[in-house]
Structures are given as C-alpha cells and as structure tokens.
Amino acid sequence: MLLINICVLVGALLTPPSLWWLYSTHIAVVCLYQLITRNWWGLMLIGISSFAVSYHDIWPSKHELDGGGTVSAVWYVKSRCYKSSYDLAKDPIYVIHKNERFYAQPCIEVDSTERQQTITLTLADRFGKWASKYAYAKNAGALLYLPSPNEILSTEASQPFSQFLTWRFSLSLVKGDRRYWTERDKWLINYLGLTHIFVVSGLHVGFVCLAAIWLAKSGWRLAVKFRCEKFVSRRWLELIIALPMSVAYTLWSGTGEPAIRATMMAFCFLAIRALYRSYTSYSVLMFCAWLMLLLWPGRALDASFWLSFSFVLLLVWLVHKVPLSGRWLYIQCQLSLFALLLTWGWQAAISSITVLANLVVIPFVALVWFPLSLISLMEFNSFNTNY
C-alpha cells in the first residue's frame, strides 16, 4: 500500500499539465477500489497523499507557464540576500557557493554601500533542464551558482595539515568540504567514480551507526558483567547511543539532506527493532520514502533520493539472501555493480574501473580511513594538535 502511495506522489510530479485529468481519474478509481474492498487504512493513506499533492501546489506554477529560463538579479555579498524584479514562484533560492549550499531569501533592508554582484538565476521547472529540475527538487524558486574568482581560498601551506599529502581528502571524507581540492583531484575522483564517498550522505551516517552499535555491544557486555542488564535491553541501548551520535554528526557536517534522510531511516529502523515489532525492513524503508515525499514531492527529481533508498533496499535484501560464507565480499561486489547500473542514467560518463575502485576503496574507508579521520578531526578541534 505504501508503494501505491509513493506512486501517487511521484505520478503527480511527473504528469504533464495536459494530462492532469487522466491522473485525477486514476486517483478516483483507486479510491473507489479501496471503498469497495473496505480497505479503510488504504483509503486514508491515499487521502493523505492527495492532500500533500494539493498542499504543495504541484499544479503548474507561474515560472513553468512562462517556460522557465533565467532572469537577472542583484546579490548582496555580506547580507547573503538578493533582489529581483521578477516575481519568483517561491521566495527562497538555492545557492551553490564554493563547497557551500544554502537557501537565500529576498533582501528586506540592506546597506546601499554594501558590495553588490550581478547574478543570473535559473528558474525552477520540473520539466526544464538539469539546473531547473534541481532547483525544483530543492523546493526553491530558482538556482544560483555563485562563483567567486576574486575570493582566493587559503593555500595548502597555510593549513595546519599541509605536511600530510592526503589531508584535504580526509577533510572532505568527514565533513564533505572539498574547497581545497585541486582541479587534478576533482578530475581523478570523478574518473574513478568515487565522488559519492566524499559527500556526506547515508554512507557516512551508516558508518557512524555501525560505530554506535559497536559501542552499544561493548556497553552491553559491561552491563552483563556487572549484572545491570535488567535496566535496559541491548536494542534500546543501540537506539539510545546511535540516535544522538547520528544527529550530532549530521549537524556537525552541515545538515545535508542525504544525511538527514539517512538519520531518519536509521531512527525508524532502530526504534521498530527496539520495540520488537514484526515490521519488515522493506516496510520501514517504504514508510521513510513516503514520509519524505509527503514533506516535498519534488524530491523525486533528486538523484540522491533514489540512490539512498535503492542502496539501502539492496543491502537489506542481500543481507537476508546471501549465505554467511563470503557475505561481505559478495555484498560489496553487488553494491558496486548496482551503483554502476543505477548511476548510468544520472551521469554523462562512467569509468570502466569504477566497480573495481569502489570494491577496494569502500571497505577501506569504512574500516580504516573514515574512523581514523573522524577521530583525528575531533581531536584537532578539541586540543588543536596536528600530529
């Protein structure tokens, strides 16, 4: 039933304006079927999904009727706001500046002497080009790519870790900060198909959850040793430790949407597991996907949304189907192959060694590089040491 509701939300997004009559007819037929079969829960869920479609105003907006495109505006550098004579469908715009991504609002009161910059806004349009679809997926009125050729970033020599050859990769691995990458670094990582490792996403939140579960396991052994296990079960201990660690890491790394999505999935899964409910992992994933689309159906146009849930779904399926002997090697091979097939439609080109590179690098990142980098960065922030 949750899959049908996901299709209701995605169908509303992908249906062109000329076929809205057909979409609404299908919704009416589905509701009628629920009435005939007396499936009241199903009817209620469809009603919630239909209300979300109406609430978010998925009907063609002004900029879609105008055909999308670009408009000029003025950007105020210090205040981080903009002024435009064009009436955007939504006030906030999504800004990409260096390695930072944030929402900006129209200026209300600004100093006339403040530094200004003429910018070009790409209007959001679900049927437009990539930039327009991306702005729509982010629930913004427009997309602004704000290059800063005149603002020179700190050089490697001025950084506290400049004596280490891979410090910039370790920083981006933990916090997603790629400001200090050279053009050669960017080309090499893109060629090897390892960009997803250096963006804070569900993969990194998964590493944090695994560390939390390991800590909970160690704590549970101590509780058993001192006969304190009656106060809390092991599953509740995993939830109590994993949730704060995941939330703290998500906030510390910049509160990116993929990390928030992964934290929500981890919370739902661990909470249901702690309550000893009989829901399957598939139901939990479907519920999380449906909930995210309820909040904003435009997420269906974001590649990271589908990649997150698809990888987790595949991982859950493999864990239950693959025998214990050689399980992790087989799972890693399947995930790498699945990544190649799934990302084929989202990327312009894929290297022939992408599968092999992911097969080698991801286990190394999970077991060695990410934990050591996270501990090192936390130690540096706490004690300001660089050894």
Side-chain angles (χ1 to χ4, degrees):
M1 196 63 224
L2 287 173
L3 182 59
I4 294 178
N5 281 271
I6 292 176
C7 293
V8 168
L9 295 168
V10 176
L13 185 71
L14 300 181
T15 303
S18 59
L19 294 178
W20 266 100
W21 63 271
L22 182 61
Y23 171 80
S24 58
T25 302
H26 277 78
I27 296 299
V29 171
V30 172
C31 291
L32 182 61
Y33 175 77
Q34 303 302 324
L35 283 172
I36 295 175
T37 58
R38 296 185 179 182
N39 187 357
W40 309 121
W41 276 107
L43 183 62
M44 184 184 70
L45 293 178
I46 296 236
I48 295 175
S49 299
S50 301
F51 174 78
V53 170
S54 176
Y55 175 78
H56 291 295
D57 194 16
I58 304 298
W59 300 92
S61 55
K62 180 180 181 298
H63 55 270
E64 288 185 352
L65 295 175
D66 292 344
T70 59
V71 294
S72 298
V74 177
W75 176 258
Y76 290 83
V77 178
K78 184 178 180 180
S79 301
R80 284 192 165 189
C81 60
Y82 72 96
K83 281 187 176 181
S84 175
S85 58
Y86 186 84
D87 185 18
L88 297 178
K90 295 181 179 179
D91 287 336
I93 62 173
Y94 193 71
V95 183
I96 301 177
H97 178 51
K98 298 178 185 177
N99 194 55
E100 190 178 7
R101 288 167 167 78
F102 58 94
Y103 290 90
Q105 298 288 343
C107 295
I108 301 177
E109 293 183 3
V110 292
D111 188 354
S112 58
T113 61
E114 184 177 339
R115 179 187 170 191
Q116 303 176 15
Q117 183 178 350
T118 303
I119 57 175
T120 299
L121 300 177
T122 303
L123 300 178
D125 184 0
R126 55 185 168 147
F127 299 113
K129 296 182 179 180
W130 177 86
S132 298
K133 290 180 179 178
Y134 189 72
Y136 189 91
K138 295 301 180 180
N139 198 15
L143 175 68
L144 170 60
Y145 176 72
L146 195 64
S148 52
N150 296 326
E151 298 180 13
I152 303 176
L153 293 172
S154 301
T155 59
E156 287 189 20
S158 65
Q159 300 301 321
F161 303 107
S162 57
Q163 68 268 31
F164 303 108
L165 296 178
T166 61
W167 74 271
R168 56 189 183 275
F169 296 108
S170 298
L171 179 63
S172 59
L173 178 66
V174 176
K175 297 198 69 174
D177 191 347
R178 292 178 287 176
R179 289 179 294 170
Y180 307 108
W181 283 18
T182 63
E183 292 299 323
R184 180 180 179 275
D185 296 336
K186 296 177 182 178
W187 176 86
L188 180 62
I189 296 301
N190 288 332
Y191 179 77
L192 294 176
L194 300 175
T195 307
H196 61 94
I197 295 178
F198 299 97
V199 178
V200 176
S201 61
L203 183 67
H204 300 74
V205 176
F207 294 158
V208 173
C209 287
L210 288 177
I213 291 175
W214 180 81
L215 290 175
K217 184 177 181 181
S218 302
W220 176 253
R221 288 178 177 175
L222 289 176
V224 172
K225 182 178 181 180
F226 293 100
R227 299 180 180 180
C228 301
E229 68 276 9
K230 62 181 179 180
F231 296 104
V232 61
S233 67
R234 177 178 169 179
R235 294 185 176 185
W236 275 106
L237 188 62
E238 292 176 354
L239 176 62
I240 292 172
I241 296 178
L243 182 59
M245 287 182 61
S246 301
V247 172
Y249 176 73
T250 300
L251 295 174
W252 180 62
S253 61
T255 323
E257 185 175 327
I260 296 175
R261 187 163 53 234
T263 301
M264 187 183 73
M265 285 191 292
F267 168 73
C268 292
F269 179 78
L270 292 175
I272 292 176
R273 188 166 176 263
L275 293 171
Y276 291 91
R277 299 298 180 182
S278 59
Y279 298 108
T280 64
S281 302
Y282 304 105
S283 300
V284 175
L285 290 175
M286 289 294 180
F287 176 76
C288 292
W290 178 62
L291 185 60
M292 294 294 291
L293 289 175
L294 278 181
L295 297 177
W296 174 236
R299 287 189 176 92
L301 297 179
D302 192 354
S304 65
F305 175 83
W306 297 108
L307 291 175
S308 297
F309 286 101
S310 299
F311 276 116
V312 175
L313 184 63
L314 178 65
L315 183 61
V316 170
W317 181 80
L318 288 174
V319 167
H320 288 90
K321 296 294 182 181
V322 179
L324 292 177
S325 177
R327 166 180 289 186
W328 295 111
L329 179 61
Y330 181 81
I331 288 178
Q332 185 57 56
C333 293
Q334 291 296 322
L335 287 176
S336 301
L337 180 61
F338 183 70
L340 178 65
L341 297 176
L342 190 62
T343 57
W344 213 313
W346 299 97
Q347 297 184 6
I350 294 180
S351 170
S352 58
I353 62 173
T354 296
V355 175
L356 181 60
N358 280 269
L359 182 63
V360 174
V361 172
I362 291 182
F364 175 73
V365 169
L367 299 176
V368 181
W369 196 1
F370 181 81
L372 290 180
S373 299
L374 181 60
I375 294 173
S376 299
L377 190 56
M378 292 175 62
E379 186 265 346
F380 169 74
N381 291 333
S382 302
F383 304 102
N384 199 27
T385 56
N386 59 353
Y387 52 85

